[in-house]
Structure formats: structure tokens, C-alpha cells
Amino acid sequence: MNHVLIVEDDADSARMMAALIGTMGPYTVATAGSLREACLQIELQRPDLVLLDLQLPDGSGMALFDNPEFTVNVQVVLITGHASLDTSIQALRLGAADYLIKPVGAVQLEGILSRFMKPDALQAELSVMTDALEREGHFGALWGRSDAMRRIYDQLARVSGTAATVFITGESGTGKEVVAQTVHELSRRRHSPFLAVNCGAVSPNLMESEIFGHEKGSFTGAERQHQGFFERAHGGTLFLDEITEMPQELQVKLLRVLESGSYARVGSSESQHADVRVIAATNRQPLEAVASGRLREDLLYRLNVFPVDLPPLRERASDVVLLAQHFLNDIARREGEVKRFAPEALERLGAYRWPGNVRELRNVVQRVYVMTTGPVIGDDWLPRNPPEPEEAPDPEISVKLGTSMAEAERKLILATMQHFDNHKERTAAALGVSLKTLYNRLKSYAEEDEAEAEPSGPEASPR
């Protein structure tokens, strides 16, 4: 029988949670109203699950983590007034499995208890996956033994057991959805749904209804109540791919859900509890997306609690043959005909730069399997790198003897500006001067040109 410790200074709330947990299964429950009482309770009977309020009379609930013996192999769930960015970062740093937003009700508690799993059980599963990586070359559904991918696996192992929001970046075709699926399958939410939404593939007019659902009659064509992705993913994980394609007004509502833990269907004022872990992804540079108005800055920082940046395939070339062989074996199992790569095919695969990343490699393997009639796949149907463009000669400027140093400097600066398409930062870097110095020179030249353009002499005077 698992033992639950509720650390909450509001006695009524603590009794209510204890009573609810008592009706939900074979649990023993104890309560503590302060850090001191919590420590005494832990020494009296070691808990399997701790529901820990952040605000206690004798300090922050986080102080319980100061003594590792109190939390080793214990699932800790934080209780907070709202799921702020600071709370998420603290939960991640300390290894909390989840957090509850006040007021805590039966639905929230039931969700936490349904996902109960001791940390050592998660670690045992990670050990099995690490062994498979060394033997077979894959970490779950992710393939590759390169250093770049091993760093990704370390990140996923660290974040999967927590409630932290994950933000995945990387070029198209690098496997962002597979990473999100791996996080879900390693998490305590694995037995609940994993739903993926491509925000760029949903009409902006329908996106709010698809994400949050709608009530019957809430708009023209709404002939029945519709459950949105948040509702259908209850207890599980919602993957929002290409988040930068979501309309700004909907980004505001998504931010509100992440902060408050609740939402409402379109056409309804009734609040729904969002027991969903959100993972987002984009193939754009996040800060550039913010600068261009495609992504709200406040939403970026709320999503970017745990960033994962996937490397392009060209930066993990040692994984290409392993991936190609994996895709070939997978196709052979489905089609019932075994084929193998010839040495020259493997050489061509390893030399290609793969601008479409893992997705392109998978499609190429599918194509050559179909086009090859015998058991051996040669290099006839494999892609080739385009020829390298000839490097243009470095541009030059000429200065006549007798030209003043100031004029020579002006000519060099303006020519360098033109070469870099008026990009001031790159120009300053190429010239080896500070950006401020470059700005001052350009301002001076503009003033000189303006002075030369002004009319002078008697004809300049008004008649």
C-alpha cells in the first residue's frame, strides 16, 4: 500500500485532499502543516508520494529538497497558486514530477494518482533504453550513436520524468515529432493520449475550435458540441508543431492555459481543467520569430522551460548508414523481401549532405527499395550533391596615389557596406571596428554629402 504525505498549511484543504485520496484507492495518508512537521512525518513513515505546498509558515516547500534523504525515490508533486514560469523551472531543477494548481479538486488528484510511478522505476526503464542504444543504436524510436544525438538522449532522460514544458527546435525533417513522442513514452503520462497538431496545417479560422473545442451553435456550422485537442489529450501530452504558425490572438489564449491550467470551449463560459503536458516545436529560429511577429515573446519564454535543439543530419553524418539500414529493414519487414545496400551505395549515402534531413533519407531509402529489382541496392537511384559553386574572387577597390587617408577610408567603408548589402554589423566586423565607430563615420559622410548638395553663392539667395 502506497503512503501519501500532504504538506499543506491550510488545514481544511489538507483534510479535503486526504479524504479524496482515501476514496481513490489503497493509499495511507498523512498530513503536515509545516516543513518541521513534514520532516517528522517522513522520519515516522517514509512516503511514496508527497504533495508539497510551496508556501509554508516556516519557509518555502522547496527547502524539503535540501535534504536528499527526504526525497530519494519519492515522487514529489508541487502545489502552487498558479503554474508560473518560475514554478516550472523550480520543478524541473528539483526533479518534481508534476504540479497542482489551487484550488485542488478531485479530478486533479485523480490524475496525479493515476500517473504515480516511483523514480527508480523510471530509471530502470532508462537503463534498458541505454543498453539498447549501445547494442542496436537506438534510444526508443530515435536512431543514432553520434555525440550530438547522445546529448539529445541525455536531455530527454532528464526532462521526461518531470512536468516541464519542452520546446523543440530544428530544421524540417530532423524528427521533432519523434522526440516529442519519446518524451511522452518516457513520462508518467504514457498511458494517456499523445496528440500531435500541426498548427500550419489547420485553418486559422478553425484553429481555436480545434484546440479548445466548441459548443453546439457557437458559430455557423457548429451543429454539435466538439471536443478540442486539449480535452481529447486529457491526462496525456499535446504536441503543438510549428507553433509560430498559430495566430497571435490564439497564442494569448494558449499562454493563459499554461499559466492558469484551465480553458473554455468556444461559445462557453464554463472553465475546463487542462491536465495536459504541452510540447511545442518550430523549424524557425525562436528569437527571429519573435522579432518578425510570428511568436509572442511571453509565450516563447513560457514554452522554453526546457529547450531541445535537434541537429541537422549533416552534423551527425556518422548516423546516416545506421539510419538507412534501419529504414531498409523496416521496409523489408512490411514488404516481405530482404534487400541490402552495396558498398558503393553506403559510400554515396554517407557523402550526401541531406538538406531534407532524416525525412529525406527515409524517402530515398523507400524509393531505391522500390526501384531496385534485385536483392542488392546500388547507387544508381541515390542522390548526388550538387557541384560546389565557384568562389567569387574577393572584391577589390583601387585608390590613386595622393588620395588622402580620410578619403581612402571613406571609399573602403562605403565599398564594404555595399558588399555586405548595407548590413552594418557584418561591415563593422569585416573592417575590425566597433559598430559605434561605423555609425559615426556613416553619419559624418551623410552630413558631408548633404552640405555639398546645398546650393551656394548669389543664385542660392531668394529673390
Side-chain angles (χ1 to χ4, degrees):
M1 184 177 294
N2 292 315
H3 181 57
V4 181
L5 173 61
I6 302 170
V7 186
E8 164 65 76
D9 62 333
D10 186 323
D12 290 338
S13 296
R15 280 194 296 269
M16 179 273 294
M17 286 189 282
L20 287 172
I21 292 173
T23 67
M24 293 178 180
Y27 300 99
T28 58
V29 186
T31 62
S34 66
L35 282 170
R36 182 176 177 278
E37 289 181 28
C39 294
L40 292 174
Q41 285 286 352
I42 292 173
E43 291 175 349
L44 184 66
Q45 182 177 1
R46 185 165 190 82
D48 300 290
L49 171 64
V50 175
L51 305 182
L52 179 62
D53 192 2
L54 286 175
Q55 304 295 328
L56 295 169
D58 51 350
S60 169
M62 293 294 182
L64 195 64
F65 289 90
D66 293 343
N67 188 340
E69 293 182 2
F70 285 165
T71 56
V72 65
N73 203 30
V74 175
Q75 181 176 323
V76 179
V77 176
L78 302 180
I79 303 174
T80 179
H82 64 287
S84 68
L85 180 58
D86 288 342
T87 301
S88 298
I89 292 173
Q90 286 176 313
L92 170 63
R93 181 171 59 86
L94 297 173
D98 215 326
Y99 50 77
L100 290 168
I101 302 174
K102 295 182 178 181
V104 178
V107 175
Q108 292 95 314
L109 285 173
E110 188 173 14
I112 290 296
L113 295 177
S114 70
R115 296 191 291 272
F116 172 74
M117 182 180 292
K118 299 196 75 169
D120 61 353
L122 291 174
Q123 288 301 317
E125 292 184 358
L126 287 171
S127 296
V128 171
M129 293 180 69
T130 301
D131 290 343
L133 172 63
E134 300 305 329
R135 289 194 322 271
E136 303 166 14
H138 70 95
F139 186 82
L142 293 164
W143 286 76
R145 292 194 183 99
S146 63
D147 289 343
M149 288 307 294
R150 287 178 185 272
R151 285 192 293 271
I152 297 295
Y153 304 151
D154 288 343
Q155 288 180 287
L156 302 188
R158 177 73 179 89
V159 75
S160 294
T162 75
T165 304
V166 180
F167 193 34
I168 307 170
T169 56
E171 296 178 7
S172 292
T174 49
K176 294 186 286 295
E177 185 170 343
V178 181
V179 169
Q181 181 84 52
T182 301
V183 172
H184 173 74
E185 291 176 353
L186 284 174
S187 76
R188 294 175 171 86
R189 295 177 177 267
R190 69 187 70 179
H191 300 299
S192 296
F194 172 86
L195 297 182
V197 186
N198 187 328
C199 297
V202 181
S203 167
N205 297 328
L206 298 175
M207 192 174 296
E208 182 175 4
S209 170
E210 289 299 313
I211 298 290
F212 300 119
H214 65 251
E215 297 291 348
K216 179 180 178 180
S218 56
F219 55 86
T220 303
E223 298 178 354
R224 58 183 176 82
Q225 186 188 77
H226 172 67
Q227 287 189 339
F229 283 105
F230 264 102
E231 203 163 350
R232 283 181 275 157
H234 182 78
T237 304
L238 179 59
F239 175 51
L240 299 175
D241 197 9
E242 302 307 334
I243 189 69
T244 55
E245 306 308 310
M246 178 180 286
Q248 284 266 345
E249 59 273 17
L250 195 53
Q251 291 185 27
V252 176
K253 296 184 178 182
L254 174 60
L255 178 62
R256 191 175 302 127
V257 176
L258 294 173
E259 294 288 0
S260 68
S262 62
Y263 65 96
R265 299 191 193 103
V266 175
S268 172
S269 58
E270 182 180 349
S271 180
Q272 304 281 332
H273 173 62
D275 183 12
V276 173
R277 182 187 197 167
V278 172
I279 300 177
T282 180
N283 59 11
R284 300 179 184 273
Q285 289 296 323
L287 293 178
E288 291 180 7
V290 170
S292 63
R294 288 184 171 272
L295 182 64
R296 289 180 59 93
E297 186 174 20
D298 49 4
L299 179 59
L300 167 62
Y301 291 125
R302 185 59 188 80
L303 292 171
N304 204 32
V305 174
F306 195 94
V308 176
D309 186 28
L310 291 183
L313 189 53
R314 61 183 173 276
E315 293 181 6
R316 44 181 291 224
S318 60
D319 291 333
V320 169
V321 170
L322 178 65
L323 281 163
Q325 192 61 57
H326 161 64
F327 292 140
L328 183 63
N329 293 340
D330 191 48
I331 295 167
R333 279 192 295 271
R334 295 198 310 267
E335 301 295 333
E337 182 181 358
V338 175
K339 297 183 182 183
R340 61 182 175 84
F341 289 111
E344 61 270 20
L346 294 175
E347 184 178 354
R348 176 72 59 78
L349 288 168
Y352 186 59
R353 287 193 289 270
W354 302 107
N357 294 298
V358 179
R359 182 185 295 125
E360 181 186 9
L361 174 58
R362 183 187 61 215
N363 293 341
V364 163
V365 173
Q366 176 76 59
R367 183 172 70 246
V368 297
Y369 181 93
V370 172
M371 297 303 298
T372 301
T373 55
V376 180
I377 297 174
D379 64 354
D380 295 345
W381 297 97
L382 294 177
R384 291 170 168 78
N385 292 319
E388 294 285 349
E390 294 184 8
E391 291 189 8
D394 293 332
E396 298 177 351
I397 63 171
S398 60
V399 179
K400 292 182 180 179
L401 288 175
T403 302
S404 68
M405 289 291 291
E407 182 59 31
E409 182 186 68
R410 173 185 173 123
K411 191 171 185 179
L412 175 62
I413 289 175
L414 295 180
T416 308
M417 279 284 291
Q418 184 178 8
H419 175 70
F420 287 112
D421 295 323
N422 294 317
H423 193 289
K424 295 181 178 63
E425 288 84 357
R426 296 174 66 189
T427 300
L431 294 171
V433 299
S434 69
L435 196 56
K436 182 179 180 180
T437 298
L438 178 62
Y439 273 115
N440 289 338
R441 292 290 192 277
L442 295 175
K443 181 180 179 182
S444 175
Y445 301 154
E447 290 173 350
E448 291 172 5
D449 292 342
E450 185 177 347
E452 290 180 4
E454 290 179 356
S456 60
E459 68 278 7
S461 304
R463 298 181 181 275

